Amino acid sequence: MRDDSARWDPAAGLDREAFQTPAVTLKILRPNRQTLISGPYPAALQCANVETATGWPEAALGDHYAVRLRRDRILVINGDALSDGWHAAKGVAVSDMTGGYAMLALGGPKAFDLLRRGTEITPDAASKSVLRGFHGYPVMLYSHGAGQFRLHIPSAMVDGFWSLLADLARQLE
């Protein structure tokens, strides 16, 4: 069988340098933990020790926060360590997703323009969920400060997604 392994760069995964153009900066972030909590929204918030879960276009603030995926599911960034499994007293299921999702930071003067090339998104079209499709990739997309965005993607897809974002960023120059 023919060996085509030299045709592609080796997979870098989460070990990569930041990508920067005059228009966009892209880098991998390494949160302490990412915890998926499924169950009634008020119980999930209580379990996560947060008051609310961010949707679109709200901005998540600080280092410990939650984003809303569905009406019964949130992803908590950092925060308290919780044991995996069913928490009967609160009626929620907890899953450590730290290794399951790659977390990317996107910023720069044309960061929003780049996002608009991959998904239908506008600041005035609010959604309680941060889930989006981005050129066929399942992503969680939200604001984290003025002109700064964060994206979570399944870790196994980070190489292809990174390449896509870098190509789109080069087109903005």
Side-chain angles (χ1 to χ4, degrees):
M1 180 179 227
R2 185 174 74 195
D3 180 8
D4 285 335
S5 61
R7 291 179 175 250
W8 297 277
D9 293 332
L14 300 178
D15 298 321
R16 60 181 72 236
E17 297 292 322
F19 174 85
Q20 189 163 352
T21 70
V24 173
T25 301
L26 178 65
K27 63 182 175 180
I28 298 284
L29 299 177
R30 303 270 189 143
N32 293 330
R33 73 184 52 79
Q34 297 181 74
T35 307
L36 190 65
I37 303 177
S38 302
Y41 184 65
L45 294 176
Q46 182 184 20
C47 190
N49 196 23
V50 294
E51 291 183 21
T52 189
T54 300
W56 177 263
E58 303 163 30
L61 302 173
D63 291 327
H64 171 217
Y65 57 90
V67 294
R68 194 163 186 180
L69 309 182
R70 300 188 330 211
R71 67 178 162 209
D72 63 347
R73 185 165 293 161
I74 64 173
L75 181 71
V76 182
I77 310 307
N78 295 320
D80 301 330
L82 301 170
S83 58
D84 283 353
W86 180 248
H87 291 237
K90 291 190 172 129
V92 298
V94 174
S95 301
D96 181 356
M97 295 302 293
T98 306
Y101 295 121
M103 184 174 171
L104 290 74
L106 177 67
K110 293 194 176 180
F112 190 72
D113 294 337
L114 184 146
L115 293 174
R116 290 184 49 206
R117 289 176 172 237
T119 190
E120 291 185 25
I121 195 163
T122 62
D124 56 343
S127 172
K128 290 186 179 183
S129 175
V130 298
L131 290 174
R132 300 280 181 274
F134 192 99
H135 277 280
Y137 287 93
V139 299
M140 295 169 227
L141 165 62
Y142 57 97
S143 176
H144 193 270
Q148 301 293 312
F149 302 93
R150 292 202 174 162
L151 300 104
H152 299 252
I153 183 160
S155 293
M157 298 179 172
V158 72
D159 286 306
F161 189 66
W162 183 275
S163 294
L164 171 67
L165 290 178
D167 287 345
L168 291 173
R170 286 184 197 99
Q171 293 172 19
L172 293 172
E173 293 179 354

